[in-house]
C-alpha cells in the first residue's frame, strides 16, 4: 500500500492538494484539501453593502462575473427590489454571464484538461503550414536547444504513459489549443461590452446594469458570438468527441457521489422568490438513478468537522467564518456544503442532468444524440468523460441561446432601477458559475454588512469529509479508481480536472534576480 500526494494539482485555478492511498493498483482512500485561506467573509464585515459586488468578484480571476451577478442578486433580495429589475437589465446580466461561461468552458477543455490526453510532442517535428503548430514547434525547439525543459511550461512537467491519440489528431488538437487562445480573448471582449472590462468589471449594479442596449453594442456582441458559435460547433465539440472515442474507458471512471444539485441560471423573469424564478437552466436536485426533485435552499448546510474553522456547522444564512488554522483533525480550508445532509456534485454535468430530467427538449436531444453516438446510458454522465461532454454541450446550448437573447433587448428602455440601502435586512443570491452552484448570503445591520457568506462551486466538489464522515464528491470519485503506475498517476489528475476545480489563489512578488521581497495571499 502506498500514498500518492499531488500538491498542488497543476492546470487548475488555485491550490488544491490531493492525497490518495493505493493498494494493488486501486485507490482505497482519498483526501481533497484546499491549502489557502480566503477570508472574504471576515474582512467584508462593516463595509457598505454595495461594495459586495466589487469585493466578491476578487475571490476569483476566472469567474468574477458569476460572483458579481450572485452578489447583485443577493443585494436585490436584501434591498427588496428583486421583482423590479427591468427586462433589459435581466437580459444583459444573462449576456454578461453567457460570455464568461463560454470563455471558461473553452479555457477548461483546451488549456487545463486537454493536455491530459493530447500529446503536444506531436508538434515537435511538424512540417506543414499551420501557423499555430509552427509556433508550438518552434517553442519546443527553443527549449530543447537551451536544454531547459522548464521553458516548456505549461506543457511540461507531465505524467507519462497514456497518450493514445493518433499523431494527426494530436497535431490538430494542438493547433486548436492555439486557436482556443484567440477564442477566449474574443469571449472576454464580448463580455466586456456590457461588463465594462474583464476581469472584475463595473457593469453590474444593484437593480440592474450600468449600461443599456444600443443597436451598436448588440451588433458588436453578436458579431463576436457568431465566431464563437462556429468554433464551438466545428472545433470544440468535434475535439471532445475525438478524445472521447479514443478514451471511451473513461466513461467508466470517476463516478462520484451519485447526487447533483443546480441552483439554475439565466433568468427568464424577476420573481422575488429565487426558488420560483423561471430560468433557462432550471433548479433541481437529481440522482444517478434519474430521479428529480425541487431544491430548497434552507436544506443547505456547511459542515466544518474537518475544516480549519471554529464556527459551528450551519445554514449559510445563519453561519459565520472564524479561522482555526491549528484545529485538531482538520485537513483543509474548505468547508463541506451538504444538501439535506447528503453529498452533492455541482457543475455543468449537474445542470445538464437537471435540465434533461426537467424535460428541456433541446438538452434532451443534445444529450441523447451524444449518448447514442457512444451507445451509452445517461448514467455515464457520472464519469470523467461525462463531465467533459456535458460541459461542451452546455457551451453550445448557452452560445445558441445568447444569440436569441440579443433579439429581446429594447434600446431606449430602462436597464436599472433606483434603490435605498435598508437599515436592517437579509438577502440571498443563488446563481451558477461555469463550475457550478454559487450562493451568497448577506445580513445588513445599521446599513453595513453584518454577515456575508459565500458558498462557491469548488467548496461543494472539493469538500472534505463532513460531520457524518462522508467523503466529498471528488474524494468519492477517486476512491475505487485504478492507478496503473504510481509514479505517473494520470488517472488521478484526469478525474480531478474533469470537475474543473477553482481554488483561491496566491500572489508572490519577486525581484528580477529571484529574491523574494514579499508574499501576499489575496484570495
Amino acid at each position: 500500500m502506498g500514498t500518492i500526494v499531488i500538491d498542488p494539482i497543476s492546470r487548475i485555478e488555485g491550490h488544491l492538494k490531493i492525497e490518495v492511498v493505493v493498494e494493488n493498483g486501486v485507490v482505497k482512500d482519498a483526501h481533497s484539501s484546499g491549502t489557502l485561506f480566503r477570508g472574504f467573509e471576515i474582512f467584508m464585515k462593516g463595509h457598505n453593502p454595495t461594495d459586495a459586488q466589487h469585493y466578491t468578484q476578487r475571490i476569483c480571476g476566472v469567474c468574477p462575473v458569476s460572483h458579481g451577478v450572485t452578489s447583485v442578486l443577493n443585494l436585490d433580495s436584501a434591498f427588496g427590489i428583486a421583482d423590479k429589475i427591468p427586462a433589459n437589465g435581466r437580459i444583459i446580466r444573462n449576456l454578461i454571464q453567457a460570455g464568461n461561461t463560454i470563455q471558461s468552458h473553452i479555457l477548461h477543455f483546451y488549456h487545463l484538461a486537454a493536455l491530459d490526453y493530447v500529446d503536444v510532442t506531436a508538434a515537435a517535428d511538424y512540417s506543414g503550414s499551420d501557423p499555430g503548430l509552427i509556433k508550438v514547434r518552434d517553442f519546443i525547439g527553443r527549449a530543447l536547444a537551451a536544454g531547459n525543459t522548464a521553458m516548456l511550461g505549461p506543457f511540461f512537467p507531465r505524467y507519462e504513459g497514456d497518450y493514445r491519440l493518433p499523431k494527426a489528431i494530436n497535431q490538430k488538437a494542438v493547433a486548436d489549443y492555439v486557436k482556443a487562445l484567440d477564442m477566449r480573448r474574443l469571449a472576454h471582449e464580448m463580455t466586456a461590452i456590457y461588463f465594462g472590462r474583464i476581469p472584475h468589471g463595473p457593469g453590474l449594479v444593484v437593480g440592474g446594469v450600468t449600461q443599456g442596449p444600443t443597436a451598436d453594442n448588440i451588433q458588436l456582441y453578436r458579431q463576436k458570438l457568431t465566431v464563437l458559435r462556429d468554433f464551438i460547433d466545428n472545433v470544440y465539440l468535434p475535439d471532445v468527441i475525438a478524445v472521447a472515442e479514443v478514451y471511451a474507458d473513461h466513461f467508466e471512471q470517476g463516478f462520484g457521489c451519485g447526487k447533483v444539485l443546480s441552483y439554475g441560471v439565466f433568468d427568464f423573469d424577476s420573481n422575488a422568490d429565487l426558488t420560483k424564478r423561471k430560468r433557462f437552466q432550471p433548479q433541481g436536485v437529481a440522482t444517478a438513478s434519474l430521479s428529480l426533485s425541487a431544491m430548497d435552499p434552507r436544506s443547505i448546510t456547511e459542515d466544518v468537522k474537518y475544516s480549519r474553522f471554529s464556527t459551528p456547522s450551519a445554514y449559510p444564512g445563519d453561519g459565520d467564518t472564524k479561522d482555526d488554522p491549528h484545529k485538531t483533525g482538520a485537513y483543509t480550508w474548505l468547508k463541506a456544503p451538504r444538501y439535506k445532509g447528503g453529498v452533492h456534485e455541482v457543475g455543468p454535468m449537474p445542470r445538464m442532468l437537471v435540465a434533461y430530467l426537467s424535460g428541456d427538449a433541446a438538452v434532451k436531444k443534445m444529450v441523447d444524440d451524444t449518448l447514442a453516438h457512444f451507445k451509452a446510458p445517461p448514467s455515464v454522465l457520472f464519469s470523467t468523460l461525462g463531465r467533459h461532454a456535458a460541459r461542451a454541450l452546455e457551451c453550445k446550448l448557452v452560445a445558441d441561446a445568447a444569440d436569441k437573447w440579443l433579439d429581446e433587448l429594447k434600446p431606449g428602455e430602462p436597464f436599472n432601477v433606483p434603490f435605498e440601502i435598508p437599515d436592517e435586512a437579509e438577502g440571498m443570491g443563488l446563481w451558477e458559475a461555469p463550475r457550478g452552484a454559487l450562493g451568497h448570503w448577506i445580513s445588513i445591520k445599521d446599513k453595513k454588512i453584518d454577515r456575508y457568506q459565500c458558498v462557491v462551486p469548488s467548496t461543494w466538489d472539493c469538500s472534505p469529509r463532513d460531520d457524518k464522515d462522508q467523503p466529498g464528491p471528488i474524494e468519492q470519485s477517486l476512491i475505487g479508481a485504478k492507478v496503473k503506475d504510481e509514479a505517473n498517476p494520470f488517472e488521478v489528475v484526469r478525474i480531478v480536472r474533469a470537475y474543473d476545480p477553482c481554488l483561491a489563489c496566491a500572489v508572490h512578488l519577486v525581484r528580477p534576480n529571484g529574491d523574494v521581497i514579499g508574499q501576499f495571499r489575496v484570495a
Side-chain angles (χ1 to χ4, degrees):
M1 182 179 294
T3 300
I4 300 172
V5 179
I6 307 174
D7 181 16
I9 294 276
S10 61
R11 284 189 278 110
I12 65 168
E13 158 61 23
H15 290 60
L16 175 69
K17 172 186 174 183
I18 293 293
E19 181 173 334
V20 297
V21 177
V22 180
E23 183 179 20
N24 298 323
V26 178
V27 175
K28 297 297 183 182
D29 199 5
H31 288 81
S32 166
S33 306
T35 60
L36 292 171
F37 175 55
R38 191 174 67 203
F40 274 66
E41 291 87 347
I42 296 173
F43 74 70
M44 286 174 61
K45 291 180 179 179
H47 281 269
N48 186 307
T50 60
D51 289 343
Q53 79 230 38
H54 302 291
Y55 286 142
T56 56
Q57 286 186 46
R58 271 72 182 175
I59 288 174
C60 179
V62 179
C63 36
V65 165
S66 306
H67 280 289
V69 176
T70 308
S71 185
V72 294
L73 290 174
N74 188 20
L75 297 173
D76 290 344
S77 165
F79 292 7
I81 58 170
D83 59 343
K84 298 179 175 57
I85 310 303
N88 276 339
R90 170 180 56 78
I91 296 166
I92 287 175
R93 286 178 177 180
N94 289 344
L95 290 168
I96 291 171
Q97 180 63 67
N100 179 247
T101 298
I102 293 167
Q103 184 282 139
S104 183
H105 285 0
I106 293 172
L107 159 69
H108 174 259
F109 180 70
Y110 285 101
H111 304 130
L112 301 181
L115 293 176
D116 288 339
Y117 308 92
V118 175
D119 185 2
V120 73
T121 63
D125 60 353
Y126 179 69
S127 59
S129 59
D130 184 283
L133 281 169
I134 291 173
K135 289 178 181 176
V136 175
R137 179 199 65 194
D138 293 347
F139 175 75
I140 295 173
R142 287 193 297 273
L144 295 179
N148 183 3
T149 56
M151 295 170 58
L152 287 171
F155 302 137
F156 290 90
R158 67 177 192 177
Y159 293 128
E160 303 290 349
D162 191 38
Y163 294 99
R164 310 177 194 170
L165 296 173
K167 187 170 185 177
I169 296 179
N170 262 316
Q171 289 186 337
K172 177 185 181 303
V174 174
D176 294 342
Y177 175 102
V178 178
K179 289 178 187 173
L181 291 168
D182 286 334
M183 293 302 105
R184 287 176 52 204
R185 173 183 51 77
L186 199 65
H188 277 319
E189 291 174 351
M190 187 174 77
T191 305
I193 291 170
Y194 293 117
F195 197 43
R197 65 171 183 258
I198 283 286
H200 311 138
L204 296 165
V205 66
V206 185
V209 293
T210 57
Q211 179 185 202
T214 66
D216 286 347
N217 62 39
I218 292 172
Q219 178 57 30
L220 185 58
Y221 191 105
R222 174 166 278 134
Q223 186 181 51
K224 297 178 186 299
L225 179 62
T226 300
V227 177
L228 288 162
R229 291 176 68 194
D230 180 70
F231 178 83
I232 294 165
D233 288 348
N234 299 306
V235 180
Y236 182 12
L237 284 168
D239 281 347
V240 173
I241 296 295
V243 169
E245 286 174 341
V246 176
Y247 290 90
D249 55 310
H250 285 39
F251 279 121
E252 301 172 357
Q253 175 195 79
F255 174 76
C257 60
K259 298 177 183 175
V260 303
L261 178 148
S262 169
Y263 292 156
V265 64
F266 302 116
D267 285 335
F268 279 172
D269 63 37
S270 295
N271 193 317
D273 185 346
L274 286 177
T275 64
K276 294 182 172 59
R277 190 168 285 191
K278 185 178 181 183
R279 288 179 158 170
F280 175 61
Q281 291 177 274
Q283 295 182 355
V285 180
T287 68
S289 60
L290 306 185
S291 68
L292 176 68
S293 57
M295 195 276 299
D296 174 13
R298 288 295 309 188
S299 295
I300 297 170
T301 56
E302 285 194 294
D303 291 2
V304 295
K305 181 177 180 180
Y306 294 99
S307 308
R308 296 189 174 101
F309 299 99
S310 60
T311 37
S313 303
Y315 167 67
D318 300 327
D320 203 352
T321 299
K322 292 183 179 177
D323 58 294
D324 186 358
H326 306 297
K327 179 178 174 181
T328 302
Y331 63 90
T332 179
W333 283 106
L334 274 64
K335 297 181 180 178
R338 295 293 184 261
Y339 182 76
K340 292 186 176 179
V343 184
H344 288 73
E345 176 182 346
V346 301
M349 186 277 284
R351 285 194 293 270
M352 293 295 281
L353 181 60
V354 168
Y356 181 89
L357 296 176
S358 298
D360 185 305
V363 171
K364 195 166 189 322
K365 184 176 188 317
M366 293 171 76
V367 173
D368 284 343
D369 287 352
T370 304
L371 293 173
H373 179 83
F374 291 100
K375 299 180 175 58
S379 58
V380 302
L381 290 170
F382 288 82
S383 70
T384 298
L385 278 186
R387 294 181 180 96
H388 285 297
R391 187 174 289 106
L393 293 175
E394 184 185 65
C395 196
K396 173 176 172 54
L397 187 77
V398 171
D400 290 351
D403 188 70
K404 297 173 183 174
W405 297 337
L406 289 169
D407 293 331
E408 299 173 7
L409 291 171
K410 296 180 179 178
E413 295 195 3
F415 46 88
N416 59 38
V417 294
F419 60 85
E420 291 186 5
I421 300 174
D423 292 332
E424 294 190 8
E426 294 188 346
M428 176 179 70
L430 301 178
W431 191 245
E432 288 276 329
R435 292 169 170 87
L438 174 60
H440 286 195
W441 286 260
I442 189 172
S443 295
I444 298 171
K445 188 174 182 181
D446 297 330
K447 296 185 182 296
K448 303 291 184 183
I449 296 175
D450 184 57
R451 177 191 295 131
Y452 204 100
Q453 292 291 307
C454 305
V455 182
V456 309
S458 293
T459 318
W460 287 91
D461 289 340
C462 303
S463 66
R465 267 88 170 147
D466 54 31
D467 292 359
K468 295 187 287 187
D469 290 341
Q470 299 176 108
I474 285 181
E475 292 176 335
Q476 293 195 35
S477 279
L478 290 168
I479 295 172
K482 296 178 180 178
V483 177
K484 295 178 182 176
D485 177 6
E486 293 184 21
N488 289 283
F490 48 80
E491 299 94 340
V492 173
V493 291
R494 284 175 180 167
I495 289 171
V496 174
R497 289 199 184 102
Y499 279 88
D500 194 10
C502 182
L503 282 291
C505 53
V507 171
H508 304 269
L509 294 181
V510 297
R511 291 175 177 166
N513 61 7
D515 295 332
V516 177
I517 58 174
Q519 295 184 356
F520 303 89
R521 292 185 175 184
V522 298

